[in-house]
Amino acid sequence: MALRMWASSTANALRISCSAAKSAGLSPSFSITRCFSSVLDGLKYAPSHEWVKHDGGIAVVGITDHAQDHLGEVVFVDLPEAGGSVSQGSSFGAVESVKATSDINSPVSGEIIEVNTKLTETPGLVNSSPYDDGWMIKVKPSKPSELDSLMGSKEYTKFCEEEDAAH
Amino acid sequence: MKSRRVIRVCKMGVVGYLNSLKLQERLVSSRKAGEVPDTLLSLQHPPTYTLGKRRTDHNLLVSPSDLARMGADLHYTDRGGDITFHGPRQAVLYPIISLREIGLGPRRYVENLESTMIELASLYGVEARPGGSAETGVWVGDRKIGAIGIRISGRVASHGLAFNVNPDLNYFKHIVPCGIADKEVTSLQREVTSSTTLDEDDVEDKLISCFIKQLGYTDVVHEHRDSLLPTEAEAK
């Protein structure tokens, strides 16, 4: 358990970047081994394994490394149109992988202002870059205090360990 | 010491596809609310073609009016996977189960469904294998014997698997099954070396047992079909 948190903070400290030109201030996605999933500081996490980054009044949402690892290869991402609304805990789309479609739930409520259209052509971005190029929707939060009810990186790391250990 | 896990099993006989979808939706809601235990529906469908969430119509090679003439239905669903055919003498299992409680992610659950069918085939002396990365499902050599398509909502799974016991394989000629061209479809009857006709009830029972064992259930409760399905009058 300590090893995973060490890995996460090491990745942050080293600022290792998979794609150098990407958004500043966001610790990069990096897994030292595939034995455990990466969890990034600075993000908030929902128990259904979605992450949200709140930055300058916009919430960016995607699914976590843990989620994409448990899904397998993503072959299709079903996303809503911009202009629609989402509410915390409700489904806004689905991800298809190896014959299973799984709902994706929004960690926050608000209006969808942008949708990642790259995922139509390249759904595999969800696997290769879940925190970065694999982002799914951008939301203008209607209730920013909802973020307080979400987990931080340490809490989420522990949550995943407990889930995986339960069998 | 193993904790007890209950599965409720209901053998339903032939169920229309739409009725089975409605039943699954009700069961998924009840399961999410914790009102019912994990439930396994075992059934067959009348001749029905179904498409998954990706709506891959191009893999249906005949027109809707041809389908009507064949006496087959077509349904669009929210499950994963491509186009497939369901019909008499194909064993269908729809497990409505909480993946959260079992602690399985989608990929591992699908693998468990594959293993269930592989184990069943082996009981009849047929060696089956899982597909490669682009070919989920269960194969005997180059011939597909079992298909999988599931939907997960709030970590409760629905839809499931379809295993060809002895269906009329001609129906598969009208589609590109699961979007995989140039591969044959087969059935357990075709693959068994013995010349005896398979006892479908026996195959169904064994398939259910393989599932129960694979998913680690300890306790089985049997439910009669009438308590899950509305009467014909209510269904209309």
Side-chain angles (χ1 to χ4, degrees):
Chain A
M1 170 168 137
L3 190 57
R4 187 181 306 191
M5 288 177 60
W6 169 83
S8 182
S9 40
T10 300
N12 294 341
L14 293 173
R15 296 242 177 269
I16 295 162
S17 179
C18 299
S19 44
K22 289 307 167 184
S23 43
L26 177 63
S27 305
S29 176
F30 177 74
S31 280
I32 290 180
T33 78
R34 293 312 299 171
C35 294
F36 47 82
S37 311
S38 67
V39 177
L40 302 190
D41 285 343
L43 304 183
K44 293 290 238 174
Y45 298 87
S48 43
H49 303 286
E50 291 88 11
W51 58 264
V52 53
K53 180 190 165 204
H54 194 207
D55 194 12
I58 305 292
V60 186
V61 174
I63 66 170
T64 66
D65 191 27
H66 180 275
Q68 70 78 21
D69 190 41
H70 280 62
L71 279 172
E73 188 196 339
V74 174
V75 299
F76 180 68
V77 185
D78 184 23
L79 292 175
E81 305 264 312
S85 64
V86 287
S87 55
Q88 190 183 48
S90 294
S91 159
F92 67 83
V95 166
E96 181 176 343
S97 62
V98 289
K99 306 291 184 169
T101 46
S102 303
D103 282 0
I104 334 167
N105 300 311
S106 182
V108 291
S109 312
E111 187 199 336
I112 304 171
I113 53 173
E114 200 184 332
V115 170
N116 188 356
T117 50
K118 275 199 242 164
L119 294 182
T120 316
E121 283 302 311
T122 326
L125 288 173
V126 173
N127 295 115
S128 59
S129 183
Y131 297 112
D132 206 344
D133 290 329
W135 69 272
M136 293 182 171
I137 58 172
K138 289 185 181 166
V139 176
K140 186 153 176 254
S142 54
K143 298 176 211 159
S145 58
E146 279 173 338
L147 287 156
D148 298 333
S149 64
L150 299 173
M151 294 181 266
S153 55
K154 288 192 171 63
E155 237 185 302
Y156 178 66
T157 304
K158 187 152 182 280
F159 177 78
C160 288
E161 275 156 18
E162 280 164 9
E163 259 199 2
D164 285 346
H167 15 91
Chain B
M1 187 178 74
K2 202 171 158 188
S3 60
R4 310 216 66 86
R5 294 195 26 240
V6 180
I7 180 95
R8 180 173 61 153
V9 175
C10 186
K11 286 161 65 166
M12 313 200 73
V14 177
V15 181
Y17 196 78
L18 212 48
N19 279 342
S20 76
L21 276 188
K22 289 179 191 163
L23 174 57
Q24 287 185 74
E25 272 163 36
R26 286 205 317 269
L27 287 172
V28 167
S29 291
S30 301
R31 188 68 190 90
K32 281 181 186 175
E35 290 161 5
V36 297
D38 285 351
T39 303
L40 178 67
L41 304 177
S42 173
L43 51 103
Q44 298 184 23
H45 289 305
T48 310
Y49 291 94
T50 67
L51 283 154
K53 205 167 173 73
R54 274 178 288 152
R55 314 258 140 150
T56 45
D57 306 75
H58 53 276
N59 288 325
L60 177 65
L61 306 174
V62 294
S63 70
S65 47
D66 289 334
L67 288 179
R69 252 175 279 130
M70 275 182 236
D73 274 346
L74 174 68
H75 288 279
Y76 291 87
T77 76
D78 281 338
R79 60 154 173 81
D82 208 298
I83 192 168
T84 195
F85 170 78
H86 297 304
R89 296 185 301 286
Q90 180 196 70
V92 172
L93 287 189
Y94 292 144
I96 314 299
I97 65 176
S98 166
L99 295 186
R100 174 183 285 122
E101 280 183 26
I102 292 193
L104 285 177
R107 181 175 56 175
R108 275 182 58 207
Y109 175 52
V110 167
E111 285 167 8
N112 273 286
L113 294 180
E114 285 175 336
S115 299
T116 296
M117 290 190 274
I118 291 168
E119 159 105 31
L120 172 69
S122 75
L123 295 177
Y124 291 89
V126 174
E127 197 181 321
R129 59 172 183 88
S133 61
E135 302 178 338
T136 308
V138 173
W139 300 75
V140 180
D142 256 0
R143 304 172 296 287
K144 190 157 187 179
I145 196 171
I148 292 172
I150 62 171
R151 171 143 197 257
I152 300 167
S153 170
R155 298 211 54 199
V156 171
S158 57
H159 296 266
L161 63 83
F163 185 82
N164 292 336
V165 182
N166 188 18
D168 181 351
L169 295 178
N170 286 318
Y171 279 106
F172 285 95
K173 294 196 172 120
H174 305 300
I175 55 174
V176 182
C178 307
I180 303 169
D182 306 327
K183 289 272 161 82
E184 258 184 79
V185 177
T186 186
S187 66
L188 190 63
Q189 183 65 68
R190 272 231 183 139
E191 299 291 334
V192 293
T193 49
S194 121
S195 55
T196 53
T197 309
L198 293 169
D199 177 336
E200 281 162 36
D201 290 335
D202 187 51
V203 178
E204 184 187 11
D205 286 338
K206 287 190 162 67
L207 180 62
I208 291 170
S209 296
C210 288
F211 175 82
I212 290 171
K213 185 174 140 205
Q214 185 69 35
L215 276 286
Y217 290 101
T218 56
D219 297 7
V220 183
V221 171
H222 291 278
E223 184 86 57
H224 194 275
R225 139 187 189 130
D226 289 348
S227 41
L228 286 187
L229 270 185
T231 60
E232 288 310 304
E234 285 166 28
K236 290 199 171 26

